[in-house]
Amino acid sequence: MVSWIRKDSSSMRAKTRAKTTRQSHWTAVLLGGLLALIAICIPIQGVQAKDCTLTAIVWEGYTDSSFEKPFEQETGCAVKATYAGSSDEMFAKVRAGGGRTYDLVSASGDITERLYRAGLVMPLDTSKLKNYSSVFAPFQNAKWNTFDGKPYGVSFAWGPNVLVYNTKEVAEAPTSWNVLFDPKYAGKITIPDNPMTIADVALWLGMSDPYDLSDEDLAKVKDKLLELRPSIRKFWSTAGELANLFESGEVVMAHAWPLTYTQLSEAGFPIGSASPKGKLTGWTDSWMVSKNSRNADAAYQWIDYILSGPGQKGIMDVTGYSGATDLGVEAVGLERAKKLFMDDLSLHKEIKMWQSVKNYDKWVQLWNEIRS
């Protein structure tokens, strides 16, 4: 009996398990159908909004909320940015994370090759970018972001390093970088805390290729920087810091990015900008995608968005930099595009754009001696 009961109880449990299994099966079927229906009814971006965050290390202004928010609303993917103060800082932070910390890098031409050679960025499939054909032809497959015949970056913005000055303290618009050495402004000037500034000084000294400097050339640059050193109030690292230096009255003149001019001008500060002809360095920036990006598809979406009219206009409005696509020209209009030299790229041809430096270790050593 006991055995039967056991047998009977066992049979009952078996039947119960079978019933439960069938119920679970139909529950799973119904649940699967319900989820499928929800997936059809709810837009994809609603799901992405909860889960997708693009991480990026960028120059200031390149992920401003004024144009980042529309991207986020359209795709459901937010962009979380870290600002870099120099290319060296940008490279170090990307390398420290092994390419996993950031999905995107807004690399200038002086570190694109370093990022590539360090194996930190991936080759890009430009066929995934519907707006890539709008990139100015000279900027496609450009030497600053194409290696071993493959594009590792997409150009999206460019501009010169300029001379910015307080118009109340500097009455006449400077026409030469020599104004930085004027004793009248001693102790009230600032320059970027960046070894690439060596290229600017090389240009001031008349050297034809400021990125190919011999030991003798570097010695001359060092002498010129030592001459300037007593007049330097501070070496600036970020555009925000530079703006504060002007607003506090600590400096009246700076070697700067156009972004600072744009920010201070919009704030009503008396600021002017000068671009001494033939003595300009600058940058052509490219979006690069980290080799170990966790959100590569979303990174492509961001790049494509920045190449579009709204993306290009957003960057130009915030930074004052020049865009790199025909869609950008359409977005800002021919008159403004002409002012930004986007119609014929004549200024881009004039600027000695940042590029890789073979003996860069010596540049860093020299720079550390100057700023110490």
Side-chain angles (χ1 to χ4, degrees):
M1 177 62 74
V2 172
S3 174
W4 180 83
I5 292 175
R6 282 181 174 174
K7 183 179 180 181
D8 189 58
S9 298
S10 174
S11 175
M12 287 294 290
R13 286 197 296 272
K15 289 179 180 178
T16 301
R17 281 200 302 270
K19 183 179 179 181
T20 302
T21 301
R22 286 195 296 274
Q23 287 176 335
S24 298
H25 169 73
W26 287 112
T27 300
V29 169
L30 290 171
L31 183 59
L34 181 61
L35 289 174
L37 181 61
I38 292 173
I40 292 171
C41 295
I42 297 178
I44 292 174
Q45 51 264 41
V47 177
Q48 291 178 334
K50 182 179 178 181
D51 300 327
C52 180
T53 300
L54 267 175
T55 54
I57 184 162
V58 302
W59 303 116
E60 288 178 72
Y62 280 170
T63 54
D64 189 81
S65 60
S66 61
F67 56 89
E68 186 275 337
K69 286 298 179 187
F71 170 81
E72 184 178 341
Q73 291 166 359
E74 181 180 345
T75 65
C77 196
V79 181
K80 181 182 178 183
T82 299
Y83 292 148
S86 70
S87 291
D88 288 345
E89 180 186 352
M90 187 178 280
F91 178 78
K93 287 186 173 178
V94 174
R95 184 173 58 181
R100 293 181 178 82
T101 306
Y102 305 103
D103 298 301
L104 283 160
V105 189
S106 68
S108 299
D110 57 322
I111 63 163
T112 48
E113 187 172 349
R114 267 193 279 171
L115 290 166
Y116 157 70
R117 294 199 177 283
L120 295 171
V121 289
M122 65 170 66
L124 300 179
D125 180 357
T126 56
S127 69
K128 293 182 178 179
L129 302 169
K130 67 178 185 296
N131 295 322
Y132 186 74
S133 61
S134 179
V135 175
F136 297 151
F139 288 8
Q140 295 186 28
N141 301 312
K143 61 182 180 181
W144 55 82
N145 57 29
T146 303
F147 309 106
D148 288 337
K150 297 177 182 177
Y152 281 77
V154 177
S155 305
F156 67 96
W158 60 276
N161 295 311
V162 295
L163 200 163
V164 176
Y165 59 97
N166 183 325
T167 54
K168 285 191 174 179
E169 302 291 337
V170 183
E172 294 184 10
T175 57
S176 166
W177 291 101
N178 289 336
V179 70
L180 295 176
F181 297 83
D182 189 330
K184 187 166 45 178
Y185 306 115
K188 293 185 176 181
I189 71 166
T190 179
I191 63 176
D193 186 5
N194 188 341
M196 294 306 289
T197 307
I198 289 172
D200 294 271
V201 181
L203 272 185
W204 303 347
L205 290 169
M207 298 175 187
S208 58
D209 187 346
Y211 304 104
D212 184 14
L213 303 179
S214 65
D215 290 349
E216 184 180 351
D217 294 332
L218 288 173
K220 292 177 181 176
V221 168
K222 182 179 178 180
D223 288 343
K224 193 67 174 177
L225 279 167
L226 287 173
E227 180 185 342
L228 184 63
R229 184 67 179 87
S231 295
I232 298 173
R233 169 71 176 176
K234 189 175 183 180
F235 295 88
W236 63 267
S237 297
T238 66
E241 179 187 15
L242 178 56
N244 288 337
L245 287 171
F246 271 105
E247 289 174 326
S248 67
E250 289 186 72
V251 303
V252 300
M253 204 179 303
H255 178 283
W257 302 330
L259 173 61
T260 298
Y261 169 79
T262 302
Q263 290 176 334
L264 290 175
S265 181
E266 290 180 350
F269 189 84
I271 196 78
S273 176
S275 303
K277 190 173 178 58
K279 302 287 185 181
L280 296 175
T281 62
W283 68 92
T284 307
D285 289 344
S286 305
W287 287 117
M288 305 183 90
V289 180
S290 296
K291 192 172 185 177
N292 294 312
S293 168
R294 295 182 174 90
N295 299 289
D297 289 341
Y300 270 98
Q301 284 183 290
W302 172 258
I303 295 172
D304 212 30
Y305 170 66
I306 294 300
L307 299 182
S308 72
Q312 288 278 281
K313 185 175 184 302
I315 283 187
M316 285 185 269
D317 285 348
V318 171
T319 66
Y321 302 162
S322 300
T325 77
D326 294 326
L327 291 172
V329 173
E330 292 177 17
V332 300
L334 290 176
E335 183 177 351
R336 185 175 171 198
K338 187 176 180 65
K339 291 180 179 176
L340 291 171
F341 298 90
M342 294 167 64
D343 57 336
D344 60 3
L345 298 178
S346 57
L347 180 61
H348 189 273
K349 295 169 187 170
E350 179 187 331
I351 298 170
K352 299 288 187 182
M353 291 292 180
W354 284 355
Q355 57 184 263
S356 295
V357 175
K358 292 180 180 177
N359 56 347
Y360 190 64
D361 289 347
K362 292 184 178 180
W363 285 43
V364 173
Q365 181 181 347
L366 188 159
W367 190 253
N368 288 336
E369 291 175 19
I370 295 298
R371 66 186 300 282
S372 61

